[in-house]
């Protein structure tokens, strides 16, 4: 086992916790997968679901969950998955960068380095019809195995990027606190992105050069992957409600967070054993607010809606979960 990284905590005062709310009750069905940590879910035209596991494998799960096929192994840690216009799958591999998976299940590297630096935490993406890719690199300090270190340190080293089909890479926003999921607006003029460490859903105007991110809304927890559904909504996976201990430590003496980071895993802040999902329209209006529990599923990190069905994924389980798209 590699030694634990040291952290250099930065003081940050969290925004006030949102008022108490009454989410709609959520009931899910689960599908077991042969491995741990299916982080994202990507739905194919036939209703089957693609997901990536902790050990690097990419799976295809039948729409009814009755069969599972191993498509490939990235040799890294696949996170966000998206379709490219040519039918390939774009893989955000935390350890290897942007990869592609073709119809013959061959994996190739599209972008592994930025400014000569290997990406440490390539996380999530969305894609325009012309093949332009928007993606996040959540941290230059820590890799996916030490995501909690980034939350404790709060040094804001993440960035949001655009990669055009001709290979031009542009940094759209930098020094962000754990930028995570991204999703284009319906008219493709705005990019929405989640910031896990700031509890925020942000938007960026793609029609204005050097535009600055704007806060859309505060999320009542730690937002992870986001995705636009076939219903036109932006679905947000909330990995965990806000942690009272983390909120307490962030504005205090940095040494306290060093102490917490040095503790055994059992003493560190943890995700709650619940399922929370939200969905917003392009104006930032909350349309769905869902909460539930299931003995086999917790810590949702990915959410995908298509044709009346929602699929959830999680780095904390060996299951996917699904439920029907709620009525508005």
């Amino acid at each position: 086992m590699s030694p634990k990284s040291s952290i250099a905590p930065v003081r940050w005062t969290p925004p006030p916790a949102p008022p108490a709310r009454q989410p709609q009750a959520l009931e899910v069905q689960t599908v077991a997968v042969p491995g741990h940590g299916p982080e994202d879910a990507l739905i194919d035209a036939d209703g089957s679901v693609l997901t990536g596991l902790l050990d690097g494998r990419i799976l295809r799960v039948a729409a009814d969950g009755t069969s599972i096929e191993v498509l490939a192994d990235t040799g890294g840690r696949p996170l966000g998955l998206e379709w490219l216009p040519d039918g390939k799958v774009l893989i955000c591999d935390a350890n290897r960068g942007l990869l592609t998976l073709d119809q013959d299940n061959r994996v190739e590297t599209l972008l592994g380095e930025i400014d000569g630096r290997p990406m440490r935490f390539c996380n999530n993406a969305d894609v325009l019809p012309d093949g332009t890719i928007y993606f996040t690199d959540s941290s230059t300090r820590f890799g996916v195995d030490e995501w909690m270190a980034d939350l404790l340190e709060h040094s804001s080293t993440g960035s949001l990027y655009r990669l055009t089909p001709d290979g031009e890479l542009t940094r759209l926003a930098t020094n962000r606190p754990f930028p995570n999921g991204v999703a284009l607006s319906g008219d493709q003029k705005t990019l929405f992105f989640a910031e896990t460490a700031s509890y925020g859903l942000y938007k960026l105007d793609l029609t204005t050069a050097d535009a600055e991110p704007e806060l859309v809304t505060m999320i009542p927890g730690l937002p992870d992957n986001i995705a636009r559904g076939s219903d036109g909504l932006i679905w947000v996976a909330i990995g965990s409600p806000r942690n009272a201990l983390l909120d307490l430590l962030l504005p205090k003496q940095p040494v306290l967070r060093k102490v917490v980071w040095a503790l055994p895993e059992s003493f560190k802040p943890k995700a709650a054993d619940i399922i929370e999902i939200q969905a917003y329209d392009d104006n930032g209006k909350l349309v769905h607010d869902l909460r539930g529990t299931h003995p086999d599923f917790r810590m949702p990190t990915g959410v995908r809606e298509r044709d009346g069905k929602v699929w959830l994924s999680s780095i904390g389980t060996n299951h996917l979960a699904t439920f029907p798209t709620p009525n508005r």
Side-chain angles (χ1 to χ4, degrees), residues 135-136 158-162 170-174 179 182 191 193 204:
F135 70 97
T136 51
S159 295
L160 177 68
Y161 293 92
R162 176 178 60 221
T170 303
R171 184 181 286 108
L172 300 175
T174 193
V182 295
L191 186 70
F193 66 99
L204 185 70

Side-chain angles (χ1 to χ4, degrees), residues 2-326:
S2 59
K4 182 185 296 187
S5 300
S6 61
I7 66 172
V10 176
R11 282 188 174 185
W12 180 69
T13 300
R21 65 194 213 283
Q22 294 183 323
Q24 179 181 344
L26 174 63
E27 295 184 3
V28 304
Q29 295 180 323
T30 59
V31 176
V33 296
H36 192 73
E39 199 272 346
D40 198 14
L42 180 65
I43 305 175
D44 206 344
D46 63 359
S48 61
V49 180
L50 278 66
T51 191
L53 300 182
L54 177 63
D55 61 14
R57 287 178 294 159
I58 304 293
L59 307 181
R60 178 185 292 276
V61 181
D64 60 4
T66 57
S67 65
I68 298 176
E69 175 188 5
V70 178
L71 300 181
D73 189 332
T74 69
R77 197 340 173 178
L79 299 179
L81 305 175
E82 294 294 331
W83 293 112
L84 290 169
D86 60 4
K88 293 180 181 179
V89 178
L90 177 71
I91 303 169
C92 295
D93 190 292
N95 302 330
R96 296 189 55 201
L98 292 177
L99 311 178
T100 61
L101 174 68
D102 67 18
Q103 289 87 343
D104 295 319
N105 296 332
R106 295 174 298 195
V107 176
E108 296 184 356
T109 300
L110 183 63
L111 181 71
E113 297 183 349
I114 296 176
D115 297 331
R117 170 189 62 82
M119 275 187 272
R120 298 194 67 177
F121 210 142
C122 185
N123 200 329
N124 199 245
D126 202 359
V127 183
L128 285 173
D130 68 357
T132 297
I133 299 167
Y134 295 91
F135 70 97
T136 51
D137 188 17
S138 294
S139 176
T140 61
R141 292 271 297 136
F142 306 100
V144 64
D145 294 336
E146 294 185 321
W147 61 269
M148 177 57 73
D150 201 89
L151 296 185
L152 284 169
E153 185 175 88
H154 208 92
S155 52
S156 302
T157 63
S159 295
L160 177 68
Y161 293 92
R162 176 178 60 221
L163 179 66
T164 59
D166 62 4
E168 181 182 358
L169 181 68
T170 303
R171 184 181 286 108
L172 300 175
T174 193
N175 299 323
R176 308 299 303 189
F178 209 104
N180 201 324
V182 295
L184 289 154
S185 62
D187 61 10
Q188 301 172 353
K189 295 180 180 180
T190 302
L191 186 70
F192 293 88
F193 66 99
E195 281 189 352
T196 304
S198 70
Y199 317 130
L201 178 66
Y202 287 80
K203 66 179 180 180
L204 185 70
D205 181 3
L206 299 177
T207 68
T208 302
D210 300 323
E212 292 293 325
E214 299 178 33
L215 178 66
V216 176
T217 187
M218 298 303 300
I219 302 297
L222 281 71
D224 206 290
N225 291 347
I226 69 175
R228 173 169 295 280
S230 63
D231 57 1
L233 299 179
I234 298 167
W235 287 81
V236 181
I238 303 176
S240 176
R242 285 174 58 164
N243 184 279
L245 174 60
L246 182 60
D247 276 358
L248 177 68
L249 291 172
L250 284 166
K252 296 188 181 298
Q253 290 286 349
V255 68
L256 295 175
R257 278 175 279 157
K258 288 188 176 184
V259 171
V260 170
W261 178 238
L263 292 173
E265 292 300 316
S266 59
F267 290 94
K268 292 176 184 173
K270 291 181 177 57
D273 291 333
I274 64 172
I275 308 166
E276 285 197 311
I277 302 295
Q278 293 187 326
Y280 295 84
D281 66 17
D282 281 353
N283 295 316
K285 178 184 176 182
L286 179 63
V287 178
H288 298 303
D289 189 15
L290 311 171
R291 179 191 290 158
T293 60
H294 192 284
D296 294 329
F297 194 85
R298 59 187 285 274
M299 196 180 180
T301 51
V303 57
R304 196 78 61 154
E305 190 278 342
R306 181 165 174 170
D307 299 334
K309 193 172 186 178
V310 181
W311 283 90
L312 306 178
S313 49
S314 170
I315 62 169
T317 74
N318 58 355
H319 286 75
L320 298 171
T322 186
F323 61 92
T325 305

